[in-house]
């Protein structure tokens, strides 16, 4: 119920759309990326909504492996999560008609914690080392479908940045997103709830002749159950929730986003405990900085 209430509230707030909207049942539109030879750039920033809770706790004091003495088990350690992060998305046309995408990390703010464990220090070092480098390379179709073989987390990130409907859509049409938020692994035994809804809520006709397609995203998963690995002396109960709620404004004639914004949240209970929510915004990056274009 917590997941459902959160998403219902966010979705209701997102329905406050300004401007003159075209009613449902209007002629369908085809939304496609139109990337110029000089490339398109976007700045993607995310900020924790509750810095005090931006910590991942790992508690394995209750985990027992078969045949392992209890004294050899670590008890508890914490890892600080980024409170602010920024990335640059660069889209470039390919001769095939597809689109090349690169994601460059430009900022990673990691809060300092007292008595940080070796694991936490190493994670913070790795996150900070991402700055200034290309972290993801992908190939997209003109509709923003990611065709590259990427890690699930990387694929989700790029897809949320670029994915458009694969078919022409009218106001009120609903479709699903390709994101796969959670993988609980092969030893998981539990129940799940999924919400995957993307809707074209309006077409804005602006005074200068621009058409803006307003798209709402509501994608979430909740898993509750336990891990039953044969190596464990006892099953480990856990729950995991992840959600993405956002709104995108796509410029139909220009073939690009004007803005995408929303909230991402993760709640986990069990051996790993997380309760975090981040606001994110993606806006055009004009011009694209030279160091971003040169990043490797």
């Amino acid at each position: 119920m917590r997941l459902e209430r959160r998403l219902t509230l966010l979705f209701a707030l997102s329905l406050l759309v300004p401007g003159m909207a075209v009613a449902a049942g209007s002629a369908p539109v085809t939304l496609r990326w139109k990337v110029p030879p000089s490339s398109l750039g976007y700045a993607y920033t995310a900020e924790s909504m509750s810095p005090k809770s931006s910590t991942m706790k790992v508690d394995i004091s209750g985990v027992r492996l078969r045949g392992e003495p209890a004294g050899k088990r670590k008890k508890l350690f914490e890892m600080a999560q980024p409170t602010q992060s920024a990335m640059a998305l660069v889209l470039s046309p390919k001769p095939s008609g597809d689109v090349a995408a690169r994601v460059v990390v430009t900022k990673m703010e990691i809060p300092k914690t007292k008595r940080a464990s070796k694991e936490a220090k190493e994670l913070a070092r790795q996150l900070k080392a991402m700055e200034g480098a290309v972290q993801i390379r992908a190939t997209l179709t003109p509709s923003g479908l990611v065709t590259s073989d990427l890690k699930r987390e990387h694929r989700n990130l790029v897809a949320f940045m670029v994915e458009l409907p694969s078919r022409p859509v009218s106001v009120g049409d609903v479709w699903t997103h390709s994101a796969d938020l959670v993988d609980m692994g092969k030893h998981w035994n539990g129940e799940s709830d999924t919400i995957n809804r993307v809707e074209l809520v309006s077409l804005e006709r602006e005074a200068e002749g621009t058409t803006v397609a307003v798209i709402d995203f509501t994608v979430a998963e909740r898993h509750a159950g336990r891990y039953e690995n044969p190596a464990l002396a006892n099953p480990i109960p856990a729950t995991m929730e992840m959600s993405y709620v956002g709104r995108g404004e796509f410029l139909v004639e220009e073939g690009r986003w004007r803005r995408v914004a929303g909230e991402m949240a993760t709640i986990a209970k069990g051996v790993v405990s997380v309760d975090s929510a981040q606001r994110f915004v993606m806006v055009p990056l004009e011009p694209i900085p030279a160091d971003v274009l040169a990043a490797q």
Side-chain angles (χ1 to χ4, degrees):
M1 291 299 295
R2 184 176 184 178
L3 173 64
E4 184 176 343
R5 287 198 301 270
R6 180 195 305 224
L7 294 176
T8 299
L9 175 60
L10 289 171
F11 186 73
L13 292 174
S14 73
L15 296 180
L16 302 176
V17 184
M20 299 179 62
V22 177
S26 60
V29 293
T30 299
L31 306 181
R32 294 292 181 266
W33 285 98
K34 300 175 183 178
V35 182
S38 58
S39 298
L40 280 176
Y42 286 88
Y44 180 101
T45 57
E47 183 175 6
S48 175
M49 297 172 62
S50 179
K52 292 183 179 180
S53 65
S54 59
T55 300
M56 179 175 69
K57 297 180 180 179
V58 181
D59 184 357
I60 59 175
S61 60
V63 177
R64 293 186 58 194
L65 300 178
R66 296 185 186 277
E68 181 187 37
K72 290 185 176 296
R73 296 197 309 271
K74 293 182 179 179
K75 301 301 182 183
L76 171 69
F77 58 90
E78 299 182 2
M79 296 183 182
Q81 304 296 290
T83 53
Q84 290 185 328
S85 62
M87 292 173 279
L89 170 67
V90 180
L91 302 177
S92 304
K94 302 186 72 171
S96 64
D98 288 337
V99 178
R102 296 186 300 143
V103 177
V104 181
V105 174
T106 56
K107 181 180 180 181
M108 195 69 70
E109 289 289 338
I110 311 295
K112 294 182 179 180
T113 57
K114 296 180 180 179
R115 299 184 298 276
S117 66
K118 292 182 180 179
E119 294 88 349
K121 290 180 180 179
E122 176 59 19
L123 177 61
R125 186 195 66 78
Q126 292 178 8
L127 290 173
K128 196 65 178 177
M130 291 181 177
E131 292 183 343
V134 176
Q135 298 300 322
I136 308 173
R137 298 179 188 271
T139 298
L140 327 168
T141 66
S143 66
L145 180 65
V146 179
T147 58
S148 302
D149 184 15
L150 301 176
K151 294 181 179 179
R152 180 177 52 82
E153 296 84 355
H154 290 174
R155 187 183 190 88
N156 285 342
L157 175 61
V158 176
F160 280 131
M161 288 177 167
V162 301
E163 188 170 298
L164 301 168
S166 60
R167 58 177 173 82
V169 290
S170 301
V171 174
D173 281 356
V174 175
W175 62 97
T176 59
H177 200 277
S178 68
D180 179 17
L181 296 182
V182 181
D183 180 6
M184 300 301 289
K186 64 180 181 179
H187 297 297
W188 177 254
N189 182 8
E191 299 179 349
S192 65
D193 296 307
T194 302
I195 300 172
N196 191 322
R197 177 187 172 93
V198 189
E199 179 182 4
L200 176 61
V201 296
S202 70
L203 288 171
E204 305 273 333
R205 308 294 192 192
E206 298 190 337
E208 62 273 21
T210 301
T211 306
V212 183
V214 180
I215 301 174
D216 278 351
F217 301 84
T218 309
V219 183
E221 293 184 30
R222 182 181 187 277
H223 300 262
R226 59 186 189 175
Y227 288 98
E228 298 178 341
N229 191 319
L232 296 170
N234 298 296
I236 302 174
T239 61
M240 170 68 79
E241 298 179 15
M242 292 190 70
S243 63
Y244 174 99
V245 176
R247 163 159 290 181
E249 300 172 1
F250 192 80
L251 303 177
V252 178
E253 291 83 7
E254 297 180 31
R256 63 182 179 87
W257 289 117
R258 178 164 68 183
R259 186 175 187 269
V260 183
E263 176 187 324
M264 294 183 294
T266 301
I267 299 175
K269 296 179 181 179
V271 173
V272 177
S273 298
V274 179
D275 187 353
S276 68
Q278 290 187 324
R279 293 189 182 95
F280 67 89
V281 177
M282 188 172 79
V283 294
L285 185 60
E286 300 173 337
I288 305 173
D291 58 337
V292 170
L293 290 172
Q296 298 296 318

